[in-house]
């Protein structure tokens, strides 16, 4: 295969290098194209445009493949735990036992939040959406941890990373408990990373907390499945904010806001709201399928479709299986799961969805498990953010250590050409 692409504009030919990824993905390097030709390329939504080279996550949308640092999502979900996956994504290798111990100890030492942060949390109405609270608290952390802002050395970046890995689960748990009107909880030195997340979120103020392995294992698996997904909307946000050399916490706060949107991470909340509406409507899935296909109707089948996956999202398969297992072991019969399965079956046989290669994505079944764990619907996207934290960190660290340039896309201007000012008395 030639390693040169040729573009011809007005009879003049321009040669551009072709680059190959380690999985033989092909790209045309247009980094010198405007200098050469005066032209730019344009691609709203970046459907055909790569923003960076990355060693972190590989996904093949046609084949439904997802790997973190070369390890398949299926193996990691089955055999690893979330803290191991955090280490793998951020530093590139699965940790030895001693590396994992040191990493966890460094994180434990940072798992305390400045007491004044509670005053900020108190300032929110109990009805505030948890994603807005979490984004604000993450940004507020900067004020209490100024040394985490101007980080350039690998050591300073490491310190900022263990700080946010220690504090973010506490912020997530406190956001949840504020919304529930419950007193705030801390973790225990002798519990595991995800055990502490469960304890801080679910401990009843009047009862000793007992670790429930079913809940912890389900949470651990869901967090692994959400941990990274290459250059999705929120990760691209974290990278571009970080490319201005804004600090890690400020970049993460921006990523949380991007994830909140119902077309992205907010879809897991929208899926349950949709399934509940169908249940209230007597389980009339055909009506909602018709709405999803009606171009005049803004309704979309939430949890279906994906920018990259034109096959099953491998995470959706794993979560669907886990949903059955978790509900069975918790002795829960959730009619919404049966509605979801019915909707999936119908959509996979419907030409509209088949022609557009619309399959269930990570958000389609995840809410059913979160709900079975007692997590309220508007906290689902916060759980997504908790899972995606190591991926955001890994991508931000890669961008900063590689000293990548500030992100600044071009545009094609389509507004007015030059025109003279008209004073108000003449308008
Ligand atoms: C996540 O990027 C990532 O990796 C994201 C993520 C991650 O881990 O970070 O995987 C997490 O965000 C998963 C996606 C969650 N969002 C939803 O479930 C919301 C519902 N899905 C859609 O809004 C949509 O599928 C997107 C936003 C996910 C993808 O949209 P695209 O790639 O811009 O595709 P498109 O809107 O151009 O759709 C192509 C066609 C259109 O029809 P036509 O104009 O060709 O006739 O498919 C239709 C769309 O109308 N379509 C849908 C649909 N999704 C696409 N029709 C009905 N229901 C849907 N869900």
């Amino acid at each position: 295969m030639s390693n040169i692409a040729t573009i011809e504009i007005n009879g003049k030919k321009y040669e551009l290098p072709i680059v190959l990824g380690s999985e033989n993905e092909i790209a045309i390097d247009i980094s010198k194209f405007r200098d050469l030709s005066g032209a730019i390329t344009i691609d709203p939504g970046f459907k055909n445009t790569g923003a960076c080279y990355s060693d972190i996550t590989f996904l093949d949308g046609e084949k439904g493949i997802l790997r973190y640092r070369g390890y398949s999502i299926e193996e990691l979900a089955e055999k690893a735990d979330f803290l191991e996956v955090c280490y793998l994504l951020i530093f590139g290798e699965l940790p030895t036992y001693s590396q994992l111990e040191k990493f966890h100890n460094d994180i434990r030492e940072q798992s305390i939040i400045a007491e004044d942060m509670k005053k900020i949390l108190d300032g929110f109405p109990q009805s505030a959406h948890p994603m807005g609270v979490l984004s604000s608290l993450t940004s507020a952390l900067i004020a209490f941890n100024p040394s985490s802002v101007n980080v350039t050395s690998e050591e300073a970046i490491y310190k900022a990373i263990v700080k946010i890995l220690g504090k973010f689960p506490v912020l997530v748990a406190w956001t949840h408990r504020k919304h529930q009107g419950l007193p705030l909880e801390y973790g225990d030195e002798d519990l595991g990373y995800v055990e502490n997340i469960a304890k801080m979120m679910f401990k009843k103020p009047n009862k000793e907390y007992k670790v429930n392995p079913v809940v912890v294992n389900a949470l651990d698996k869901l967090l692994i499945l959400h941990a990274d997904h290459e250059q999705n909307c929120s990760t691209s946000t974290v990278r571009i904010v970080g490319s201005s050399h804004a600090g890690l916490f400020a970049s993460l706060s921006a990523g949380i806001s991007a994830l909140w949107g119902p077309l992205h991470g907010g879809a897991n909340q929208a899926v349950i709201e949709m399934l509940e509406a169908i249940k209230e409507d007597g389980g009339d899935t055909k009506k909602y399928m018709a709405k999803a296909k009606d171009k005049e109707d803004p309704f979309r089948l939430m949890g279906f479709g994906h920018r990259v996956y034109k096959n099953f999202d491998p995470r959706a398969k794993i979560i669907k299986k886990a949903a059955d297992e978790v509900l069975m072991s918790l002795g829960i019969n959730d009619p919404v799961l049966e509605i979801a399965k019915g909707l999936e079956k119908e959509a996979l046989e419907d030409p509209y969805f088949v022609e557009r290669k619309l399959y269930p994505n990570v958000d389609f079944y995840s809410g059913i498990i979160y709900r079975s764990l007692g997590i309220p619907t508007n906290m689902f996207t916060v759980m997504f953010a908790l899972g995606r934290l190591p991926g955001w960190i890994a991508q931000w660290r890669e961008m900063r250590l590689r000293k990548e340039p500030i992100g600044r896309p071009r545009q094609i201007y389509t507004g007015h050409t030059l025109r003279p000012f008209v004073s108000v008395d003449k308008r």
Side-chain angles (χ1 to χ4, degrees):
M1 182 186 92
S2 158
N3 57 5
I4 293 288
T6 306
I7 294 184
E8 184 171 339
I9 303 176
N10 298 332
K12 192 167 180 208
K13 290 186 179 178
Y14 302 94
E15 294 196 338
L16 298 165
I18 286 176
V19 294
L20 266 189
S22 48
E23 290 287 346
N24 296 317
E25 295 166 302
I26 300 171
I28 300 170
D29 177 349
I30 57 168
S31 51
K32 302 279 185 298
F33 185 51
R34 188 172 187 276
D35 293 345
L36 284 171
S37 70
I40 62 167
T41 59
I42 189 150
D43 182 23
F46 310 116
K47 293 190 176 187
N48 306 279
T49 301
C52 63
Y53 297 93
S54 180
D55 299 346
I56 299 169
T57 291
F58 170 70
L59 57 93
D60 180 322
E62 281 66 36
K63 296 180 186 144
I65 291 171
L66 172 59
R67 298 188 198 127
Y68 298 160
R69 300 285 189 177
Y71 296 95
S72 76
I73 192 64
E74 292 79 7
E75 277 217 281
L76 292 171
E78 193 60 40
K79 299 173 184 169
D81 71 32
F82 181 56
L83 197 59
E84 267 180 308
V85 169
C86 291
Y87 188 100
L88 171 67
L89 284 168
I90 296 168
F91 303 111
E93 296 298 336
L94 285 168
T96 61
Y97 182 78
S98 59
Q99 286 170 330
L100 190 56
E101 264 308 283
K102 177 185 183 311
F103 188 50
H104 196 183
N105 290 336
D106 291 347
I107 290 167
R108 277 196 189 98
E109 278 167 29
Q110 298 296 334
S111 304
I112 304 292
I113 303 283
E115 203 60 12
D116 281 350
M117 284 281 287
K118 291 181 179 176
K119 294 176 185 155
I120 300 171
L121 184 59
D122 285 345
F124 287 99
Q126 195 172 343
S127 59
H129 194 289
M131 282 297 275
V133 174
L134 182 66
S135 178
S136 307
L137 291 179
T138 303
S139 193
L141 270 182
I142 300 166
F144 297 88
N145 299 277
S147 64
S148 301
V149 180
N150 296 316
V151 289
T152 48
S153 71
E154 199 152 348
E155 189 204 352
I157 289 175
Y158 178 82
K159 285 183 181 153
I161 287 171
V162 292
K163 260 188 189 166
I164 195 69
L165 284 171
K167 298 178 191 313
F168 197 78
V170 184
L171 296 183
V172 164
W174 285 7
T175 299
H176 169 59
R177 296 181 79 92
K178 160 82 185 183
H179 195 66
Q180 301 296 305
L182 290 171
L184 305 180
E185 279 291 336
Y186 268 112
D188 285 347
E189 271 285 322
D190 52 6
L191 289 181
Y193 191 70
V194 177
E195 286 176 337
N196 262 328
I197 291 169
K199 184 227 169 191
M200 291 189 287
M201 287 186 70
F202 304 128
K203 181 181 181 306
K204 298 266 187 295
N206 58 349
K207 278 172 80 175
E208 270 309 298
Y209 180 74
K210 279 180 67 189
V211 173
N212 178 334
V214 174
V215 171
V216 171
N217 292 337
L219 260 187
D220 200 287
K221 189 182 287 258
L222 280 170
L223 294 173
I224 289 173
L225 291 168
H226 286 82
D228 193 51
H229 215 239
E230 54 131 282
Q231 304 311 314
N232 59 83
C233 178
S234 53
T235 299
S236 302
T237 302
V238 169
R239 273 186 173 253
I240 203 161
V241 170
S243 74
S244 74
H245 288 196
L248 175 58
F249 298 3
S251 306
L252 294 173
S253 175
I256 294 166
S257 297
L259 187 71
W260 193 356
L263 295 188
H264 188 16
N268 56 18
Q269 173 177 342
V271 166
I272 290 294
E273 289 165 351
M274 172 186 74
L275 294 172
E276 283 289 0
I278 294 172
K279 188 180 83 173
E280 293 313 308
D281 216 351
D284 182 4
T285 51
K286 295 208 179 327
K287 173 178 163 187
Y288 287 83
M289 289 288 285
K291 282 170 64 70
K293 298 186 286 186
D294 176 0
K295 289 300 164 210
E296 300 311 308
D297 190 327
F299 175 81
R300 285 193 155 179
L301 197 61
M302 302 313 277
F304 257 77
H306 198 278
R307 173 58 60 75
V308 177
Y309 287 125
K310 302 308 172 190
N311 193 328
F312 258 91
D313 181 334
R315 302 167 297 177
K317 281 185 186 171
I318 299 169
I319 293 177
K320 179 180 176 183
K321 182 167 171 284
D324 277 324
E325 292 161 359
V326 170
L327 266 63
M328 177 114 56
S329 52
L330 293 175
I332 296 172
N333 169 31
D334 187 346
V336 148
L337 177 59
E338 294 320 308
I339 294 176
K341 288 180 178 176
L343 211 50
E344 176 188 349
K345 187 173 180 308
E346 273 185 60
L348 295 180
E349 291 162 2
D350 185 299
Y352 173 95
F353 287 84
V354 173
E355 283 154 20
R356 291 167 180 78
K357 298 182 179 176
L358 303 177
Y359 291 88
N361 59 47
V362 66
D363 294 307
F364 191 62
Y365 286 103
S366 54
I368 290 165
I369 299 181
Y370 289 138
R371 195 158 92 144
S372 73
L373 304 180
I375 296 171
T377 305
N378 68 5
M379 272 290 294
F380 290 177
T381 312
V382 167
M383 300 312 290
F384 192 144
L386 183 58
R388 188 52 52 90
L389 180 66
W392 286 333
I393 291 171
Q395 301 271 352
W396 186 94
R397 178 176 179 272
E398 180 178 74
M399 176 271 304
R400 287 302 301 273
L401 290 184
R402 289 181 175 180
K403 297 187 175 10
E404 292 190 4
I406 186 168
R408 202 273 182 220
R410 305 299 295 245
Q411 63 161 29
I412 290 293
Y413 175 70
T414 53
H416 287 282
T417 51
L418 180 64
R419 52 181 175 162
F421 181 79
V422 177
S423 59
V424 67
D425 56 325
K426 295 195 175 62
R427 288 176 210 159

